[in-house]
Amino acid sequence: MSARPTPPANRSRTIHYQVPEADKTRLFERTGLEQLRAMAEGRIAAPPISSHIGLEFVAVTDGDVVMTAQPDESHYNPIGSVHGGFFATVLDSVCGCAVHSTLPAGVGYTSLEIKVSFLRPITAETGAVTAHGWVTRRGKSVAFADAEIRDAEGRVLATASSTCLIIYPGGAVPDSRPGPANQ
């Protein structure tokens, strides 16, 4: 009879996060840049997803955002490296926040699509990673952003390009085309 392998040690992880603002209208009283800077400074709660991946702001300017994230074993896939969803979440966050930083008060956004290229694996030993996202073009109804994740040595681990829909109050998109409706 063969010996049974010793099962791996169990580990646990407790996640602490602040309850998101229940009154969504209060979130949109500020410009996107003001909202993100308030989060970066801890004056308003970061989204709960940030707690799951250790996502923190490093820098927030108009159309440009830098964040760090902390991968660990709880993010692993079956082959022993960080799941692609971790990469995608970090890249979607930094692209979306770069777009958000360009928006006036009362205007929101949502991701329409994101394309992620995985260039190198991430493991718990990789340590904190840095994500940089920047707006490449912003129109009235759609914005485009690019992003990358780098390790502490500056190696690019993943890249992304994203398209975001800009959402106006009541769903209206400002129209500056000449015509009877705009005269």
Side-chain angles (χ1 to χ4, degrees):
M1 186 187 286
S2 63
R4 299 183 94 190
T6 304
N10 287 330
R11 296 192 178 156
S12 65
R13 180 172 186 218
T14 302
I15 298 170
H16 299 275
Y17 61 92
Q18 293 177 318
V19 176
E21 174 65 55
D23 182 3
K24 302 302 181 217
T25 58
R26 289 194 59 210
L27 291 174
F28 290 98
E29 292 173 350
R30 299 177 168 110
T31 67
L33 187 59
E34 291 168 341
Q35 288 176 38
L36 294 176
R37 285 184 173 161
M39 279 183 211
E41 295 166 3
R43 291 184 283 124
I44 61 175
I49 187 69
S50 300
S51 299
H52 288 272
I53 58 177
L55 194 61
E56 295 182 3
F57 286 101
V58 173
V60 178
T61 59
D62 186 26
D64 195 282
V65 172
V66 178
M67 298 175 162
T68 60
Q70 185 64 52
D72 64 38
E73 291 173 333
S74 72
H75 303 124
Y76 275 15
N77 59 26
I79 62 170
S81 63
V82 170
H83 190 279
F86 177 93
F87 289 84
T89 300
V90 171
L91 291 164
D92 184 54
S93 297
V94 78
C95 282
C97 286
V99 169
H100 192 71
S101 71
T102 69
L103 301 178
V107 178
Y109 77 94
T110 190
S111 298
L112 285 174
E113 66 177 358
I114 187 165
K115 182 206 180 283
V116 177
S117 295
F118 304 100
L119 307 176
R120 293 174 178 263
I122 296 177
T123 66
E125 289 75 37
T126 301
V129 296
T130 301
H132 179 202
W134 58 95
V135 173
T136 58
R137 178 155 180 6
R138 192 186 135 214
K140 291 183 181 181
S141 59
V142 177
F144 302 92
D146 287 339
E148 62 185 19
I149 297 175
R150 292 180 180 260
D151 65 12
E153 283 77 46
R155 292 179 294 219
V156 178
L157 307 174
T159 61
S161 59
S162 177
T163 306
C164 293
L165 176 67
I166 299 173
I167 304 168
Y168 294 87
V173 176
D175 190 352
S176 62
R177 294 176 292 172
N182 298 311
Q183 294 179 358

